[in-house]
Amino acid sequence: MFGVAAAGFSRGRIDPPTLVGMSAILMWSATVGLYRNISEIFGPIGGSALIFTVSGIVALIHAGPKAFRGHSPRYLLIGGAMFVTYEIALALAVGFAQTRAQSVEVGLINYLWPSFTIALAIWAGHARAGIMVIPGILICLLGVFWAATGSANFSLAAMVHNIGSNPLPYILAFIAAITWPLYTILTKGMAQGRSAVPLFLLATAALLWVYYGVSDQPTLVYNSKGAMMVLTFGVLTTLAYSAWTYGVNHGNLTLMATASYFSPLLSVMLSSVLLSMVPGLNFWLGASLVTAGSLICLAATKR
């Protein structure tokens, strides 16, 4: 796979559909920064509810009537439950982080999903892998732990103290990192080539609005900057899914898959811009290790 990817990059054979597909990776990498900004304005629960309401409406408008047709009950129930769990866990993990730096840390945990997806695919019999997949996963975990230390030098005590001071976001981010691979692998056959993402986004919004209504949450007050961010998030979500689907159908999937494993680095970079912060060396080291570990897993895997 790396040979094919390298050949594609070096010979300049990245065609327009592949570039369109790769643009989805860039849009998804902005998720953490946007989540955090919106949660700071509207609160973790209210902000997340607004995000998925707008995202669901925009996605539904884009998909049209076909969003409601042809879905199996198993896909809607099982796939929907996993999709909703993933989205809520990630959104609240970022929103409940005590600081912007911590939100980037928990966002990085989410990017364990590529290596976890490979591990699950191997377990489910969808792929074969060499022994190198084990050090690949361990390197990914080391990258997350390194970022969680809060300093350039890895320290187990510092990591435990940092996580122990506010464990809920880390737990939620880890749940997200596990749930997305489950959704990816288990719903492949259930979906039968169809997508109920607009319905899943609206279901996520509905649950968050229920939680908002029954819990003690701050009153939502209109904020023009926040409203623009929510609208931007909704449009980006739809564009990202559409761009990725177009790239998968018409572009070079090998290049797209390889490029997606650089999401941790892109996420840290875009989060630093959106959150007006300068990531420390620990973030770059952690993101680099997660990326390297994911690529090792990818190289050790055969379909």
Side-chain angles (χ1 to χ4, degrees):
M1 176 170 271
F2 285 117
V4 176
F9 283 116
S10 62
R11 296 174 189 173
R13 295 181 179 176
I14 306 180
D15 55 11
T18 302
L19 286 175
V20 171
M22 287 181 173
S23 71
I25 300 167
L26 189 63
M27 288 184 274
W28 279 323
S29 296
T31 297
V32 172
L34 286 171
Y35 269 142
R36 182 65 189 187
N37 274 315
I38 293 169
S39 68
E40 289 178 350
I41 296 172
F42 297 113
I45 307 301
S48 298
L50 288 170
I51 285 171
F52 290 108
T53 299
V54 174
S55 297
I57 292 172
V58 173
L60 192 60
I61 292 172
H62 179 265
K66 67 180 181 180
F68 298 96
R69 296 196 297 257
H71 305 301
S72 71
R74 288 181 68 236
Y75 171 51
L76 290 176
L77 291 175
I78 299 175
M82 287 185 288
F83 186 98
V84 169
T85 299
Y86 168 78
E87 296 290 3
I88 291 179
L90 178 58
L92 296 186
V94 176
F96 286 152
Q98 290 177 333
T99 64
R100 290 185 167 188
Q102 194 175 72
S103 68
V104 179
E105 291 174 17
V106 299
L108 190 57
I109 294 175
N110 172 61
Y111 286 108
L112 288 172
W113 70 258
S115 56
F116 285 176
T117 301
I118 290 173
L120 181 61
I122 294 169
W123 179 80
H126 297 306
R128 294 182 294 111
I131 193 66
M132 287 302 294
V133 76
I134 296 176
I137 293 174
L138 292 177
I139 289 172
C140 286
L141 292 171
L142 177 61
V144 168
F145 292 153
W146 202 307
T149 61
S151 63
N153 298 317
F154 180 75
S155 168
L156 184 60
M159 180 199 72
V160 172
H161 177 269
N162 196 28
I163 295 176
S165 63
N166 187 27
L168 181 58
Y170 294 93
I171 294 172
L172 288 171
F174 195 75
I175 290 173
I178 294 175
T179 306
W180 189 252
L182 288 171
Y183 171 80
T184 302
I185 299 296
L186 298 182
T187 63
K188 183 176 178 62
M190 299 179 196
Q192 299 176 341
R194 301 180 182 273
S195 173
V197 167
L199 304 182
F200 294 163
L201 290 170
L202 290 174
T204 304
L207 286 177
L208 286 166
W209 282 123
V210 171
Y211 185 16
Y212 179 85
V214 300
S215 59
D216 184 19
Q217 301 295 325
T219 303
L220 290 175
V221 178
Y222 177 77
N223 180 289
S224 57
K225 179 181 178 181
M228 184 58 65
M229 286 185 178
V230 170
L231 181 60
T232 299
F233 194 106
V235 173
L236 280 180
T237 298
T238 301
L239 286 176
Y241 279 114
S242 300
W244 185 260
T245 301
Y246 180 77
V248 167
N249 291 333
H250 303 285
N252 188 324
L253 185 57
T254 299
L255 291 180
M256 289 169 54
T258 303
S260 70
Y261 284 80
F262 291 91
S263 294
L265 287 168
L266 280 173
S267 179
V268 171
M269 180 181 69
L270 290 178
S271 295
S272 66
V273 174
L274 292 169
L275 298 176
S276 301
M277 57 174 284
V278 180
L281 183 59
N282 59 305
F283 286 121
W284 294 115
L285 288 172
S288 298
L289 286 171
V290 172
T291 298
S294 296
L295 290 172
I296 291 172
C297 289
L298 184 65
T301 306
K302 297 180 179 179
R303 290 182 60 84

